[in-house]
Amino acid sequence: METPDFALLLLLGLGAALLPETFGRSHSLRYFYTGVSRPGSGVSEFTAVGYVDEVQFVRFEGDGGRGRAEPRTPWIRDNEGQEYWDRNTQILKDTAQVFRTNLQTALGYYNQSKEGSHTFQRMYGCQLREDDTPGQGFTQYGYDGRDYIALDKATLSWTAADAGALNTKRKWEADRTIAERDKAYLEDECIEWLRKYVGFGGPSLTRADPPEVEVTRHTGPDGEDVSLRCRALGFYPADIKFKWEREGKDMSQEMEFVGTRPSGDGNFQKWASVNVPRGEEQKYVCVVEHEGLGQPLAVKWVPDASPPIAAIVGAVVVILLVTAAVVGFVIWKRKKSGPKGGNYTPASSDSSIPMKASA
């Protein structure tokens, strides 16, 4: 079931498809709504989250007509008053009711029982390019985590993902004002709000924190398979590129990677790995490109120069055994050659000068 964290991952994935290939700083405003027919423990009936770039700035969780829109960043809390929050709360409460109806309708389209739990989602947003001109806008819907229907702004038509969604397509295309209203919002009002929010966010949205990059070596369960993993940590914005090279040859087609993920502190993390022949690890280099870096960063795996823990422990044990043997030998010699009689004056325990034996 989709959660707010999953929403951010999905937004990141969609953002990668919508943003230009260059690292020029564009901005986006995106919203993700999820309605659940039979929410379980800890899951709300309706959740809405809004993002500027990859920063969540507003959130709403509602059950049975309850809930309020809440700020998630200082810059939105400090710049919008009570009227803004009251208005958005009412809009989202009305949207929650629409989602309840849509869920019941979708159950009928797919001939599903009301006993199970199902989700209905909407994702929409707009973009500003680096030169402050409007970029692509989109609105699309999902059902149970799959594509359902999406707006084609160019033709003001709807693209249905399956037979169930064809029912919605026919209904919405019969009322052309639905597509016209969505297009107008994406190209005008959405852009106006995005510019406003970027102004509120200021440096927190335009910062460029470079990644910390490390390469680690991993072996498979059989001890034979070897892979190198390149990890980038603590970077912002989320756009980043990885490339593995072997002696200058691009090996990116052979690498495995995870999508960019939030690290919990407002920054992001990502890794990419590649399988390598044992003993040839030094021939591989990970190249990372990010806006926060002055130039591409190339990182190799560096073998650990320190001796293994087992070797250190073994050395300590040997030293202790040798020391114990020497001490035992000295004590034995002293006992064997000690005095057997006659006058004897013991040495003073607090004197630093050796005492002479009595005549």
Side-chain angles (χ1 to χ4, degrees), residues 188-201:
D188 298 317
E189 187 177 349
C190 184
I191 294 295
E192 292 177 10
W193 280 110
L194 175 53
R195 287 196 176 106
K196 188 175 183 179
Y197 293 148
V198 170
F200 290 165

Side-chain angles (χ1 to χ4, degrees), residues 186-227:
L186 294 174
E187 295 182 348
D188 298 317
E189 187 177 349
C190 184
I191 294 295
E192 292 177 10
W193 280 110
L194 175 53
R195 287 196 176 106
K196 188 175 183 179
Y197 293 148
V198 170
F200 290 165
S204 68
L205 295 175
T206 57
R207 61 190 170 94
D209 296 340
E212 296 182 7
V213 182
E214 63 176 5
V215 174
T216 54
R217 180 181 182 275
H218 304 267
T219 56
D222 58 1
E224 295 298 326
D225 296 331
V226 177
S227 65

Side-chain angles (χ1 to χ4, degrees), residues 248-297:
K249 180 181 178 182
D250 189 352
M251 306 297 292
S252 299
Q253 294 295 328
E254 300 180 16
M255 74 180 186
E256 298 179 2
F257 62 92
V258 296
T260 305
R261 299 176 180 272
S263 53
D265 57 359
N267 290 333
F268 297 90
Q269 57 183 311
K270 185 174 184 175
W271 61 258
S273 66
V274 64
N275 293 326
V276 304
R278 180 181 292 275
E280 298 187 8
E281 293 89 342
Q282 293 299 300
K283 296 180 180 180
Y284 288 78
V285 59
C286 175
V287 181
V288 177
E289 295 181 59
H290 185 265
E291 182 181 345
L293 298 169
Q295 58 186 7
L297 179 64

Side-chain angles (χ1 to χ4, degrees), residues 122 141 151 156 158 175-187 189:
R122 182 189 181 192
Y141 293 79
L151 173 65
L156 290 179
W158 297 89
D175 183 358
R176 191 175 176 84
T177 62
I178 297 175
E180 291 174 345
R181 184 176 63 246
D182 280 4
K183 180 181 179 180
Y185 168 81
L186 294 174
E187 295 182 348
E189 187 177 349

Side-chain angles (χ1 to χ4, degrees), residues 25 67 71 80 107 206 209 283 343:
R25 182 60 64 88
E80 291 292 357
L107 287 175
T206 57
D209 296 340
K283 296 180 180 180
N343 295 329

